[in-house]
Amino acid sequence: MSANTDRYESAVARYFEAWNAGEPEALAKAVAAAWSVEGTYTDPLATVTGHAEIAGLIAGAHEQFPGFAFRPLGAVDGHHDTARFAWELVSEADGTAPVAGFDVITLDADGRIRSVLGFLDRVPAGA
């Protein structure tokens, strides 16, 4: 495994830690570990900047989908300062995954996320 592959996989692991953090303090800490201070997140439903807004977006997803967790699908692929990966949102009760997509992240020199461009492949009606 190359150093860059480790870098991409570490960044994506921190990303999922943030998305799966439940308590506000743990969420704030995970977001700070994953994103740069001016980091951004953009998908078809949201555009946010900075740790507080990113944490707020994640907390909103937890409110909308209680009892669900984000998990990666397949391998992380990357080059230069950019990586991409697929994911799904899975019910901890029955294993269904009503939401799925893929994200493209750009990393800073420290390996933290500068930007996320999210794409939604599967979204339930009304979500």
Side-chain angles (χ1 to χ4, degrees):
M1 188 180 301
S2 75
N4 276 343
T5 300
D6 286 343
R7 182 173 180 239
Y8 306 138
E9 289 182 357
S10 293
V12 171
R14 289 190 309 273
Y15 176 85
F16 281 105
E17 286 174 19
W19 276 97
N20 289 319
E23 298 300 317
E25 187 174 312
L27 175 55
K29 184 177 179 180
V31 167
W35 271 270
S36 64
V37 173
E38 297 297 321
T40 63
Y41 177 92
T42 303
D43 70 18
L45 305 174
T47 299
V48 295
T49 300
H51 292 172
E53 289 184 10
I54 292 167
L57 176 73
I58 293 171
H62 285 271
E63 289 173 12
Q64 186 175 5
F65 295 96
F68 284 76
F70 285 90
R71 72 175 177 201
L73 284 176
V76 176
D77 182 30
H79 61 82
H80 297 85
D81 291 330
T82 305
R84 66 179 177 164
F85 55 93
W87 54 267
E88 62 184 355
L89 183 62
V90 180
S91 168
E92 295 171 344
D94 65 14
T96 60
V99 183
F102 78 91
D103 292 347
V104 177
I105 62 173
T106 304
L107 304 177
D108 68 11
D110 295 327
R112 293 192 320 171
I113 299 169
R114 283 187 299 167
S115 67
V116 176
L117 296 175
F119 296 84
L120 302 173
D121 297 326
R122 182 173 62 238
V123 178

